[in-house]
Amino acid sequence: MIPIAIHEKAVQNTFYKIQREGMSSIAVTSAHRHEGVTTFAYALSRRAATGGMRVLLIDLNFMHPGQSQSLALEHQNWSPSGDIKEDKIQSISNTNLSILSAPHNVKDTWPFQDQKKIHQMLDRLNTEYDLVIADMPSILEPEHEIQVEILCAAFDSTLIMALSGKTIETEITRMKKILDIAEVNILGVVMNDQFTPTLVEELKRQLDKFTLRFPRIIAFLKCKIEQNAFLNQSL
């Protein structure tokens, strides 16, 4: 799992918006896999838990359970159709965070596509938890048979993760149309800039092209860039 500090702006802003609007359930999804859904869902859960909320993080991506794998959690057998026993939920010691790992060997996916059952499940969970956050499958992946937008519509709001340099605008537009048709409340889009260089890194990379011809000058310029307070300020 790629670490995200709980003070990251996107995590903080999302947490404050959840508080302001009194949300009790959030789904996190993306256009494709590996765009930061698992990492951000966990970071947001940690931030909410440190804020005093009782948080349950659910891994609903049972085809690619990244959350469960990254935290080395045992898979549990559970379904939205019935009560989820306490022994299925794993609490993180000395925190307000609990985690429900991805269900194991799901053969009947219909309960996960029944919006009424998902609503009922969330209502039951919200008697014990202030906030339920779900790590969802991606919307545009063709391999799974679940309509992710149906699951998302059962939550108060849905957050979209997009990987800078990978997710293109037309995919975001296509995904939004799918979510709009399912009447999903979209909280917003978080751009994951994991592979986007900072301004300082990009300037130094461009200067590298001239190192062979002007090694001393380039070394001097790089030193000045690294020392420049304006270029190195936190955004």
Side-chain angles (χ1 to χ4, degrees), residues 48-108:
T50 61
M53 301 182 79
R54 296 169 300 165
V55 183
L56 176 64
L57 174 59
I58 304 178
D59 191 349
L60 268 172
N61 192 346
F62 43 81
M63 291 198 68
H64 301 288
Q67 198 72 246
S68 301
Q69 291 174 355
S70 62
L71 296 174
L73 300 176
E74 294 182 5
H75 290 283
Q76 303 289 341
N77 291 317
W78 61 272
S79 169
S81 301
D83 287 333
I84 300 172
K85 304 295 183 181
E86 286 187 14
D87 61 352
K88 304 290 184 184
I89 298 173
Q90 302 172 65
S91 299
I92 306 299
S93 56
N94 300 319
T95 72
N96 291 320
L97 176 59
S98 299
I99 301 176
L100 178 59
S101 60
H104 187 50
N105 293 330
V106 175
K107 296 179 181 178
D108 181 12

Side-chain angles (χ1 to χ4, degrees), residues 62-223:
F62 43 81
M63 291 198 68
H64 301 288
Q67 198 72 246
S68 301
Q69 291 174 355
S70 62
L71 296 174
L73 300 176
E74 294 182 5
H75 290 283
Q76 303 289 341
N77 291 317
W78 61 272
S79 169
S81 301
D83 287 333
I84 300 172
K85 304 295 183 181
E86 286 187 14
D87 61 352
K88 304 290 184 184
I89 298 173
Q90 302 172 65
S91 299
I92 306 299
S93 56
N94 300 319
T95 72
N96 291 320
L97 176 59
S98 299
I99 301 176
L100 178 59
S101 60
H104 187 50
N105 293 330
V106 175
K107 296 179 181 178
D108 181 12
T109 61
W110 285 113
F112 292 91
Q113 300 185 74
D114 187 327
Q115 203 170 104
K116 183 178 179 180
K117 292 188 183 301
I118 299 293
H119 269 301
Q120 291 173 343
M121 179 188 76
L122 291 172
D123 286 342
R124 291 192 298 269
L125 291 172
N126 282 138
T127 62
E128 299 292 332
Y129 300 95
D130 302 314
L131 179 64
V132 177
I133 298 176
D135 181 332
M136 291 287 192
S138 48
I139 298 287
L140 303 183
E141 294 292 336
E143 59 186 23
H144 55 69
E145 57 188 53
I146 287 192
Q147 291 180 274
V148 181
E149 63 273 18
I150 300 299
L151 277 76
C152 291
F155 288 75
D156 289 344
S157 198
T158 293
L159 186 68
I160 298 171
M161 294 296 300
L163 183 60
S164 179
K166 177 182 177 183
T167 310
I168 59 178
E169 185 178 349
T170 54
E171 291 175 330
I172 295 291
T173 302
R174 181 184 164 198
M175 184 166 48
K176 186 178 183 303
K177 286 181 179 178
I178 292 173
L179 295 173
D180 284 344
I181 291 172
E183 299 182 342
V184 174
N185 179 33
I186 300 175
L187 182 64
V189 178
V190 174
M191 294 303 298
N192 179 358
D193 60 356
Q194 174 190 356
F195 301 116
T196 303
T198 63
L199 177 58
V200 168
E201 290 170 341
E202 183 61 18
L203 288 173
K204 289 166 67 177
R205 188 179 71 85
Q206 294 296 332
L207 286 173
D208 284 338
K209 300 175 182 178
F210 306 98
T211 299
L212 291 177
R213 295 180 63 185
F214 312 105
R216 292 185 178 179
I217 295 176
I218 298 305
F220 173 78
L221 289 175
K222 281 186 176 182
C223 182

